[in-house]
Structure formats: C-alpha cells, structure tokens
Coordinates of all heavy atoms in Angstrom, one line a residue:
A244 N 0.8 -1.2 0.0 CA 0.0 0.0 0.0 C 0.9 1.3 0.0 O 0.6 2.2 -0.7 CB -0.9 0.0 1.2
K245 N 2.0 1.2 0.8 CA 2.9 2.3 0.8 C 3.6 2.5 -0.5 O 3.8 3.7 -1.0 CB 3.9 2.1 1.9 CG 4.9 3.3 2.2 CD 5.7 3.0 3.4 CE 6.6 1.8 3.3 NZ 7.5 1.6 4.4
L246 N 3.9 1.4 -1.2 CA 4.6 1.5 -2.5 C 3.7 2.1 -3.6 O 4.1 2.7 -4.5 CB 5.1 0.1 -2.9 CG 6.2 -0.5 -2.1 CD1 6.4 -2.0 -2.5 CD2 7.5 0.3 -2.2
Y247 N 2.3 1.8 -3.4 CA 1.4 2.3 -4.4 C 0.9 3.7 -4.1 O 0.4 4.4 -5.0 CB 0.1 1.4 -4.3 CG 0.2 0.0 -5.0 CD1 -0.8 -0.9 -4.9 CD2 1.4 -0.3 -5.7 CE1 -0.7 -2.2 -5.4 CE2 1.5 -1.6 -6.3 CZ 0.5 -2.5 -6.2 OH 0.6 -3.7 -6.7
A248 N 1.1 4.2 -2.9 CA 0.6 5.6 -2.6 C 1.4 6.6 -3.3 O 2.5 6.4 -3.8 CB 0.7 5.7 -1.0
K249 N 0.9 7.9 -3.2 CA 1.6 9.0 -3.9 C 3.0 9.1 -3.3 O 3.2 9.1 -2.1 CB 0.8 10.3 -3.6 CG 1.3 11.5 -4.4 CD 0.4 12.7 -4.2 CE -1.0 12.4 -4.7 NZ -1.9 13.6 -4.6
G250 N 4.0 9.1 -4.2 CA 5.4 9.2 -3.8 C 6.0 7.9 -3.5 O 7.2 7.8 -3.2
G251 N 5.2 6.8 -3.6 CA 5.8 5.5 -3.3 C 6.8 5.0 -4.4 O 6.7 5.5 -5.5
K252 N 7.7 4.1 -4.0 CA 8.8 3.7 -4.8 C 8.3 3.0 -6.1 O 9.1 2.9 -7.1 CB 9.7 2.8 -4.0 CG 10.5 3.5 -3.0 CD 11.5 2.6 -2.3 CE 12.3 3.3 -1.2 NZ 13.3 2.4 -0.6
A253 N 7.1 2.4 -6.1 CA 6.7 1.7 -7.3 C 5.9 2.5 -8.2 O 5.6 2.1 -9.4 CB 5.8 0.5 -6.8
V254 N 5.5 3.7 -7.8 CA 4.5 4.5 -8.6 C 5.0 4.8 -10.0 O 4.3 4.6 -11.0 CB 4.1 5.8 -7.8 CG1 3.3 6.7 -8.7 CG2 3.3 5.4 -6.6
N255 N 6.2 5.4 -10.1 CA 6.7 5.8 -11.4 C 6.8 4.7 -12.4 O 6.4 4.8 -13.6 CB 8.1 6.5 -11.3 CG 7.9 7.9 -10.7 OD1 6.9 8.5 -10.7 ND2 9.0 8.4 -10.1
R256 N 7.3 3.5 -12.0 CA 7.5 2.4 -12.9 C 6.2 1.8 -13.3 O 6.0 1.4 -14.5 CB 8.4 1.3 -12.3 CG 9.8 1.7 -12.2 CD 10.7 0.6 -11.6 NE 10.6 -0.6 -12.4 CZ 11.1 -1.8 -12.1 NH1 11.6 -1.9 -10.9 NH2 11.0 -2.9 -12.9
I257 N 5.2 1.7 -12.4 CA 3.9 1.2 -12.8 C 3.2 2.2 -13.7 O 2.5 1.8 -14.7 CB 3.0 1.0 -11.5 CG1 3.6 -0.2 -10.7 CG2 1.6 0.7 -11.9 CD1 3.0 -0.5 -9.4
Q258 N 3.3 3.5 -13.4 CA 2.7 4.5 -14.3 C 3.3 4.4 -15.7 O 2.5 4.6 -16.7 CB 3.0 5.9 -13.7 CG 2.3 7.0 -14.5 CD 2.3 8.3 -13.8 OE1 3.2 8.5 -12.9 NE2 1.5 9.3 -14.1
Q259 N 4.6 4.2 -15.9 CA 5.2 4.1 -17.2 C 4.6 2.9 -18.0 O 4.3 3.0 -19.2 CB 6.7 3.9 -17.0 CG 7.4 5.2 -16.6 CD 8.8 4.9 -16.2 OE1 9.4 3.8 -16.5 NE2 9.5 6.0 -15.7
Q260 N 4.4 1.8 -17.3 CA 3.9 0.6 -18.0 C 2.4 0.5 -18.1 O 1.9 0.0 -19.1 CB 4.4 -0.7 -17.3 CG 5.9 -0.9 -17.4 CD 6.4 -2.2 -16.9 OE1 5.8 -3.2 -17.2 NE2 7.4 -2.2 -16.1
F261 N 1.7 1.0 -17.0 CA 0.2 0.8 -17.0 C -0.4 2.1 -16.5 O -0.9 2.2 -15.4 CB -0.2 -0.3 -16.1 CG 0.5 -1.6 -16.4 CD1 1.6 -2.1 -15.6 CD2 0.2 -2.4 -17.5 CE1 2.2 -3.3 -15.8 CE2 0.8 -3.6 -17.7 CZ 1.8 -4.0 -16.9
P262 N -0.4 3.2 -17.4 CA -0.9 4.5 -17.0 C -2.4 4.5 -16.6 O -2.8 5.3 -15.8 CB -0.6 5.4 -18.2 CG -0.5 4.4 -19.3 CD 0.2 3.2 -18.7
T263 N -3.1 3.5 -17.1 CA -4.6 3.5 -16.9 C -4.9 3.1 -15.4 O -6.1 3.3 -15.0 CB -5.3 2.5 -17.8 OG1 -4.8 1.2 -17.6 CG2 -5.1 2.9 -19.3
V264 N -4.0 2.6 -14.7 CA -4.3 2.2 -13.3 C -4.0 3.3 -12.3 O -4.3 3.2 -11.1 CB -3.5 0.9 -12.8 CG1 -3.7 -0.2 -13.8 CG2 -2.0 1.2 -12.7
M265 N -3.6 4.5 -12.8 CA -3.2 5.6 -11.9 C -4.5 6.4 -11.6 O -5.4 6.6 -12.5 CB -2.2 6.5 -12.6 CG -0.9 5.7 -12.9 SD -0.1 4.9 -11.5 CE 0.2 6.4 -10.4
M266 N -4.5 7.0 -10.4 CA -5.6 7.9 -10.0 C -5.0 8.9 -9.0 O -4.6 8.5 -7.9 CB -6.8 7.1 -9.4 CG -7.9 8.1 -9.0 SD -9.3 7.1 -8.2 CE -10.0 6.3 -9.6
E267 N -5.0 10.2 -9.4 CA -4.5 11.2 -8.5 C -3.1 11.0 -8.0 O -2.8 11.2 -6.8 CB -5.5 11.5 -7.4 CG -6.9 11.9 -7.9 CD -7.9 12.1 -6.7 OE1 -7.5 11.8 -5.6 OE2 -9.0 12.6 -7.0
G268 N -2.2 10.5 -8.9 CA -0.8 10.3 -8.5 C -0.5 9.1 -7.8 O 0.6 8.9 -7.3
E269 N -1.5 8.2 -7.6 CA -1.2 6.9 -7.0 C -1.8 5.7 -7.7 O -2.7 5.9 -8.6 CB -1.6 6.9 -5.5 CG -3.1 7.1 -5.3 CD -3.4 7.2 -3.8 OE1 -2.5 7.6 -3.0 OE2 -4.5 6.9 -3.4
V270 N -1.4 4.5 -7.4 CA -1.9 3.3 -8.0 C -3.3 3.0 -7.4 O -3.4 2.8 -6.2 CB -1.0 2.1 -7.9 CG1 -1.6 0.9 -8.6 CG2 0.4 2.5 -8.5
S271 N -4.3 2.9 -8.3 CA -5.6 2.5 -7.8 C -5.7 1.0 -7.8 O -5.6 0.4 -8.9 CB -6.7 3.1 -8.8 OG -7.9 2.4 -8.6
R272 N -5.9 0.4 -6.7 CA -6.0 -1.0 -6.6 C -7.2 -1.5 -7.3 O -7.2 -2.6 -7.9 CB -6.0 -1.5 -5.1 CG -4.7 -1.3 -4.4 CD -4.6 -2.2 -3.2 NE -3.3 -2.3 -2.6 CZ -2.9 -3.2 -1.7 NH1 -3.7 -4.1 -1.3 NH2 -1.6 -3.2 -1.3
E273 N -8.3 -0.8 -7.3 CA -9.5 -1.2 -8.0 C -9.2 -1.3 -9.5 O -9.6 -2.2 -10.2 CB -10.6 -0.2 -7.7 CG -11.9 -0.7 -8.3 CD -13.1 0.3 -7.9 OE1 -12.9 1.1 -7.0 OE2 -14.1 0.2 -8.6
R274 N -8.6 -0.3 -10.0 CA -8.3 -0.3 -11.5 C -7.3 -1.4 -11.8 O -7.4 -2.0 -12.9 CB -7.7 1.1 -11.9 CG -8.7 2.2 -11.9 CD -8.1 3.5 -12.4 NE -9.1 4.6 -12.4 CZ -8.9 5.8 -12.9 NH1 -7.7 6.1 -13.4 NH2 -9.8 6.7 -12.9
L275 N -6.3 -1.6 -10.9 CA -5.3 -2.6 -11.1 C -6.0 -4.0 -11.1 O -5.7 -4.8 -12.0 CB -4.3 -2.5 -10.0 CG -3.1 -3.5 -10.2 CD1 -2.4 -3.3 -11.5 CD2 -2.1 -3.2 -9.0
R276 N -6.9 -4.2 -10.2 CA -7.6 -5.5 -10.2 C -8.4 -5.7 -11.5 O -8.4 -6.8 -12.0 CB -8.5 -5.6 -8.9 CG -7.8 -5.9 -7.7 CD -8.8 -6.3 -6.6 NE -9.6 -5.2 -6.1 CZ -9.3 -4.5 -5.0 NH1 -8.2 -4.8 -4.3 NH2 -10.0 -3.4 -4.7
T277 N -9.1 -4.7 -11.9 CA -9.8 -4.8 -13.2 C -8.9 -5.1 -14.3 O -9.3 -6.0 -15.2 CB -10.6 -3.5 -13.4 OG1 -11.4 -3.2 -12.4 CG2 -11.4 -3.6 -14.7
L278 N -7.8 -4.5 -14.4 CA -6.8 -4.7 -15.5 C -6.3 -6.2 -15.4 O -6.1 -6.8 -16.5 CB -5.7 -3.7 -15.4 CG -4.8 -3.7 -16.7 CD1 -5.6 -3.3 -17.9 CD2 -3.6 -2.7 -16.4
T279 N -5.9 -6.6 -14.2 CA -5.4 -8.0 -14.1 C -6.4 -9.1 -14.5 O -6.1 -10.2 -14.9 CB -4.8 -8.3 -12.7 OG1 -5.9 -8.0 -11.7 CG2 -3.6 -7.4 -12.4
E280 N -7.7 -8.7 -14.3 CA -8.8 -9.7 -14.7 C -8.8 -9.8 -16.2 O -9.0 -10.9 -16.7 CB -10.1 -9.1 -14.2 CG -10.5 -9.4 -12.8 CD -11.9 -9.0 -12.4 OE1 -12.8 -9.6 -13.1 OE2 -12.1 -8.2 -11.6
Q281 N -8.5 -8.7 -16.9 CA -8.6 -8.7 -18.3 C -7.3 -9.3 -19.0 O -7.4 -9.9 -20.0 CB -8.7 -7.2 -18.8 CG -10.0 -6.6 -18.4 CD -10.0 -5.1 -18.6 OE1 -9.0 -4.5 -19.0 NE2 -11.1 -4.4 -18.3
D282 N -6.2 -9.2 -18.3 CA -4.9 -9.7 -18.8 C -4.0 -10.2 -17.7 O -3.5 -9.5 -16.9 CB -4.2 -8.5 -19.6 CG -2.9 -9.0 -20.3 OD1 -2.5 -10.2 -20.1 OD2 -2.3 -8.2 -21.0
S283 N -3.8 -11.5 -17.7 CA -3.1 -12.2 -16.6 C -1.6 -11.8 -16.6 O -0.9 -11.9 -15.6 CB -3.2 -13.7 -16.7 OG -2.7 -14.2 -18.0
K284 N -1.1 -11.3 -17.7 CA 0.3 -11.0 -17.8 C 0.6 -9.7 -17.0 O 1.7 -9.4 -16.7 CB 0.7 -10.8 -19.3 CG 0.8 -12.1 -20.0 CD 1.2 -11.9 -21.5 CE 1.3 -13.3 -22.2 NZ 1.7 -13.1 -23.6
V285 N -0.4 -8.9 -16.8 CA -0.3 -7.6 -16.1 C 0.2 -7.9 -14.7 O 1.1 -7.3 -14.2 CB -1.6 -6.8 -16.0 CG1 -1.5 -5.7 -15.1 CG2 -2.0 -6.4 -17.4
L286 N -0.4 -8.9 -14.0 CA 0.0 -9.3 -12.7 C 1.5 -9.7 -12.6 O 2.2 -9.2 -11.7 CB -0.9 -10.4 -12.1 CG -0.6 -10.8 -10.7 CD1 -0.9 -9.6 -9.7 CD2 -1.6 -11.9 -10.3
E287 N 1.9 -10.4 -13.5 CA 3.3 -10.8 -13.6 C 4.3 -9.6 -13.7 O 5.3 -9.5 -13.0 CB 3.6 -11.8 -14.7 CG 2.9 -13.1 -14.6 CD 3.1 -14.0 -15.9 OE1 4.0 -13.7 -16.7 OE2 2.3 -15.0 -16.0
A288 N 3.9 -8.7 -14.5 CA 4.7 -7.5 -14.7 C 4.7 -6.6 -13.4 O 5.8 -6.1 -13.0 CB 4.1 -6.6 -15.9
I289 N 3.6 -6.5 -12.8 CA 3.5 -5.7 -11.5 C 4.3 -6.4 -10.4 O 5.1 -5.7 -9.7 CB 2.0 -5.6 -11.0 CG1 1.2 -4.8 -12.0 CG2 2.0 -5.1 -9.6 CD1 1.5 -3.3 -12.1
E290 N 4.3 -7.7 -10.4 CA 5.1 -8.5 -9.3 C 6.6 -8.3 -9.5 O 7.3 -8.2 -8.6 CB 4.7 -9.9 -9.4 CG 3.3 -10.2 -8.8 CD 2.9 -11.7 -8.9 OE1 3.6 -12.4 -9.7 OE2 2.0 -12.1 -8.3
K291 N 7.0 -8.2 -10.8 CA 8.4 -7.9 -11.1 C 8.9 -6.6 -10.6 O 10.1 -6.4 -10.2 CB 8.7 -8.1 -12.6 CG 8.7 -9.5 -13.1 CD 9.0 -9.6 -14.6 CE 9.0 -11.0 -15.1 NZ 9.2 -11.1 -16.5

C-alpha cells in the first residue's frame, strides 16, 4: 500500500507501464484488479 501511494517507490514504474491504473498520483488497486482480470500478464509485470 505504501509503494502504491503517492510518492511510493513503485509508482513511477507502474505509471510508465500501465498508466490507466493511476488515479490522482497513486496506483488505484481497484483499477489494477480490473486490469489483471482482463490480462493475466499484467500481474506478472506488476510483481516484477
């Protein structure tokens, strides 16, 4: 949760690869879950 929050260490890299999961400068878990439902490879990329 801290990594996903505004200023978190994972935010910039996730934003570069998956800009649609961003909301107000942080990673939206809801949007991320929706995206991983649509494409299983997204989860693997996020985990890396």
Side-chain angles (χ1 to χ4, degrees):
K245 185 171 63 175
L246 293 173
Y247 286 172
K249 190 175 293 185
K252 291 183 178 180
V254 170
N255 286 341
R256 287 183 62 191
I257 292 176
Q258 184 172 18
Q259 288 170 7
Q260 292 190 45
F261 307 104
T263 60
V264 305
M265 302 303 298
M266 180 182 288
E267 298 180 355
E269 60 184 28
V270 178
S271 164
R272 287 202 170 194
E273 184 177 346
R274 290 185 178 184
L275 184 57
R276 280 194 289 264
T277 300
L278 191 60
T279 55
E280 279 186 61
Q281 297 168 355
D282 185 353
S283 60
K284 291 182 179 179
V285 171
L286 184 59
E287 294 176 15
I289 294 292
E290 288 176 345
K291 285 180 181 178

